[in-house]
């Protein structure tokens, strides 16, 4: 009876899981949009800095015609892009993006905290980059986007095989160059500081939630090293089959994931056992996997 009750409860929880995920994504997009709008209206627009992508085009139009609100301009520019998304990308991505565009435009209109009184343009560009980059990073933690170049980049990636990063960088460069023609090179250069800082802040938010290091270890003592990683760090490992290119001898290559604080301890374990081990360490943006007890195997 107890097992039946528990199974029924698990089934009920499972039925609500999709709704919970959707709600969580919408809340994340809303929070990120409000933070982005804060940086936009408190620093970026008062200093008349430029930006890349559709936001950059909206800012140029706003500076040329101040009576037009940036939020309404951004929404209008996304209408033709949304039509592309409806016919060429997944419905889930489109619906999330439609919500993201709407909430971002609304946040840009509503969140008007006033000007952050910083006279130094470089400090202003850095502050705007930190705030807007953090907001952008939070938005990217969800399963949707706030539209703009995201839709165009996904479309060109699916239909033309172009890399999303290359598309977004190219269009942003064109927008900044256009802004330099209208408002002068000096403002465009300050805007580059903003764009660079925003990119770094976005990366920091994305990696800060799940920052890991992936480790590849090639050693003649792979099994001993793996055992020590298990027992001393409680980290899982996966053995990859390899062979020496010169000798042709078989090798057990260790693949493992660790956190930055544990990295020094892991290297100590490896080189205490085998000073001649070959170790490759890479940054890892995100780690997803199945737990096996308290140890995660990769």
């Amino acid at each position: 009876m107890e097992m039946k009750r528990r199974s029924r409860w698990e089934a009920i929880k499972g039925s609500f899981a999709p709704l919970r995920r959707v709600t969580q994504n919408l809340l994340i997009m809303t929070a990120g949009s409000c933070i982005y709008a804060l940086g936009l209206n408190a620093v970026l627009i008062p200093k008349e800095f430029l930006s890349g992508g559709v936001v950059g085009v909206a800012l140029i139009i706003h500076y040329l015609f101040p009576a037009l609100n940036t939020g309404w301009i951004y929404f209008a520019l996304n209408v033709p892009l949304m039509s592309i998304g409806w016919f060429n990308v997944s419905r889930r991505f489109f619906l999330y993006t439609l919500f993201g565009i709407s909430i971002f435009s609304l946040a840009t209109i509503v969140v008007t905290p006033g000007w952050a009184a910083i006279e130094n343009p470089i400090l202003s560009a850095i502050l705007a980059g930190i705030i807007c980059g953090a907001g952008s990073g939070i938005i990217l933690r969800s399963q949707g986007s706030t539209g703009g170049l995201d839709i165009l980049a996904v479309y060109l990636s699916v239909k033309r095989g172009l890399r999303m990063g290359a598309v977004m960088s190219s269009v942003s460069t064109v927008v900044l160059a256009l802004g330099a023609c209208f408002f002068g090179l000096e403002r465009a250069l300050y805007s580059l500081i903003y764009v660079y800082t925003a990119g770094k802040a976005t990366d920091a938010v994305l990696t800060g939630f799940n920052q890991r290091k992936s480790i590849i270890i090639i050693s003649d003592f792979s099994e001993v090293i793996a055992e020590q990683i298990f027992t001393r760090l409680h980290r899982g490992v996966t053995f990859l089959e390899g062979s020496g290119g010169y000798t042709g001898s078989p090798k057990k290559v260790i693949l493992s994931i660790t956190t930055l604080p544990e990295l020094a301890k892991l290297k100590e374990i490896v080189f205490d056992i085998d000073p001649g081990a070959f170790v490759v360490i890479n940054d890892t943006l995100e780690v997803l996997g199945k737990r096996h007890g308290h140890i995660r195997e990769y």
Side-chain angles (χ1 to χ4, degrees):
M1 181 66 68
E2 179 65 26
M3 291 187 64
K4 287 183 178 179
R5 190 179 297 114
R6 187 178 302 172
S7 299
R8 191 179 301 114
W9 173 243
E10 291 295 332
I12 293 173
K13 287 200 300 182
S15 65
F16 281 101
L19 178 61
R20 186 168 61 249
R21 285 195 297 271
V22 170
T23 303
Q24 183 181 18
N25 279 307
L26 298 183
L27 289 175
I28 290 173
M29 294 175 72
T30 302
S33 297
C34 290
I35 293 172
Y36 196 112
L38 175 66
L40 198 69
N41 290 322
V43 187
L44 202 69
I45 292 177
K47 284 295 185 180
E48 295 189 344
F49 289 144
L50 305 168
S51 182
V54 176
V55 172
V57 176
L59 288 175
I60 291 174
I61 296 174
H62 172 70
Y63 296 150
L64 293 175
F65 307 97
L68 299 177
N69 185 278
T70 310
W72 291 116
I73 299 171
Y74 182 81
F75 187 86
L77 291 173
N78 272 282
V79 170
L81 293 174
M82 283 191 289
S83 64
I84 294 175
W86 175 256
F87 292 106
N88 297 283
V89 300
S90 70
R91 293 295 179 263
R92 186 181 71 172
F93 177 80
F94 173 82
L95 292 174
Y96 272 130
T97 302
L98 179 61
F99 175 85
I101 293 169
S102 303
I103 200 66
F104 181 83
S105 301
L106 181 62
T108 304
I109 296 168
V110 173
V111 181
T112 53
W115 175 46
I118 301 175
E119 297 300 329
N120 189 306
I122 295 178
L123 295 179
S124 298
I126 293 173
L127 178 61
I130 291 172
I131 298 174
C132 294
S136 180
I138 292 171
I139 292 169
L140 290 173
R141 297 294 302 185
S142 70
Q143 294 182 359
S145 75
T146 54
L149 286 185
D150 292 353
I151 301 175
L152 182 62
V154 170
Y155 167 73
L156 291 177
S157 175
V158 172
K159 295 296 182 181
R160 298 290 183 267
L162 300 178
R163 291 186 298 114
M164 293 178 61
V167 172
M168 298 178 76
S169 297
S170 300
V171 177
S172 294
T173 300
V174 171
V175 173
L176 286 173
L178 183 64
C181 294
F182 277 109
F183 306 107
L185 182 60
E186 183 175 327
R187 194 183 301 182
L189 292 175
Y190 285 131
S191 301
L192 282 176
I193 298 174
Y194 156 73
V195 171
Y196 177 80
T197 306
K200 291 296 182 181
T202 299
D203 290 342
V205 171
L206 288 174
T207 59
F209 287 98
N210 199 9
Q211 190 173 8
R212 297 289 188 271
K213 297 286 186 179
S214 61
I215 316 293
I216 296 175
I217 305 167
I218 302 175
S219 170
D220 292 329
F221 304 92
S222 296
E223 293 185 358
V224 179
I225 293 172
E227 180 62 29
Q228 289 298 304
I229 293 174
F230 276 131
T231 57
R232 294 171 62 180
L233 293 182
H234 302 290
R235 289 282 167 184
V237 303
T238 292
F239 286 123
L240 307 177
E241 296 298 330
S243 61
Y246 179 71
T247 63
S249 58
K251 298 277 187 180
K252 280 190 174 182
V253 179
I254 297 173
L255 171 65
S256 187
I257 306 292
T258 187
T259 60
L260 189 59
E262 292 176 339
L263 181 59
K265 186 67 175 177
L266 188 143
K267 288 193 288 186
E268 179 184 335
I269 290 172
V270 172
F271 292 115
D272 280 349
I273 297 172
D274 183 7
F278 184 76
V279 179
V280 179
I281 302 171
N282 293 304
D283 290 324
T284 301
L285 179 62
E286 191 170 14
V287 177
L288 304 172
K290 182 179 179 181
R291 285 191 180 277
H292 297 276
H294 66 291
I295 295 175
R296 187 188 289 266
E297 184 175 352
Y298 303 99

